[in-house]
Every structure is written in C-alpha cells, then in structure tokens.
Amino acid sequence: MWLPDGRKIVPSSTPPEDLKENEILCHPNFRAIFLANRPGFPFLGNDFYAVMGDLLRCHPVDNPDPQSELALLKKYGPNVSEDILVKLIGAFSELRTMSDEGTFLYRTRHGN
C-alpha cells in the first residue's frame, strides 16, 4: 500500500533485510475495514482487489438473507410493524436483483 509521501507499507512477513529505504513493515496486528463496491459494471472505479489484495486479506460480504434482514430491522425499528418491514425487505431485494441484472443502477447507500 502506497502512502501519499511515497513510502510503501509491505506485508509483515517481509524479511527485514529485504526492506527498501522507502518501505515500512505492516504491524502484524493491523486491522482495517474498507467498504468498496464490487468490481465491474456499473462500478468503474478502482479494482479494490488489484490495488489492495497483495497486502490485505479481502473478505467480501454478501447482503444478509431475508430472515437476518428482518431481525436487523426489528432491532433498528422495534415499533415498526412486521408487515411493513417485510415489504421493505422485498423492495430492496427487488432493487438488488434489478441491479444484478443490469436493469437498474442501485447501491445500498442510495437507501440512506
């Protein structure tokens, strides 16, 4: 991972004797959480895996299943009726399906 000042963070497994002057060892306990769009259409920005995959372990996380979504929404809106929550889950599921098919440009943050 390149830093703005030109230094590079390299994996902690890099032998110290192989370090170049502008390289810094990543601490073995370093953790970061990045939110990134999946590669490909319609997200034409940086390919996260190509840019960061050699340094970080990447773990894609899918959307939760409907039952888990319902449990999350019940915690977030305990006074909202289950019928409304189920309709909301169905609407977002339909939007995600349309996005996967390429018939609708949709990102979850659009729901905010």
Side-chain angles (χ1 to χ4, degrees):
M1 176 169 50
W2 290 96
L3 299 174
D5 65 3
R7 292 178 298 160
K8 182 179 181 183
I9 299 176
V10 296
S12 60
S13 59
T14 304
E17 61 272 9
D18 292 347
L19 282 178
K20 298 181 179 110
E21 185 176 324
N22 68 332
E23 292 180 336
I24 303 168
L25 281 178
C26 184
H27 191 281
N29 294 332
F30 174 77
R31 300 292 181 266
I33 296 175
F34 296 91
L35 299 178
N37 293 324
R38 60 185 176 198
F41 179 83
F43 311 111
L44 303 177
N46 293 329
D47 180 349
F48 183 80
Y49 302 108
V51 174
M52 302 297 288
D54 63 333
L55 180 62
L56 305 173
R57 290 186 203 147
C58 301
H59 303 280
V61 178
D62 287 329
N63 292 307
D65 61 77
Q67 295 80 14
S68 298
E69 259 184 314
L70 182 59
L72 286 168
L73 290 172
K74 282 182 173 182
K75 295 281 187 180
Y76 190 73
N79 298 324
V80 179
S81 75
E82 188 167 321
D83 290 344
I84 297 293
L85 296 178
V86 169
K87 287 179 185 179
L88 184 64
I89 291 166
F92 275 87
S93 176
E94 185 177 343
L95 289 173
R96 286 191 290 260
T97 299
M98 291 169 65
S99 178
D100 290 343
E101 293 169 348
T103 58
F104 181 70
L105 176 57
Y106 163 78
R107 292 184 287 269
T108 301
R109 67 178 163 263
H110 284 164
N112 294 343

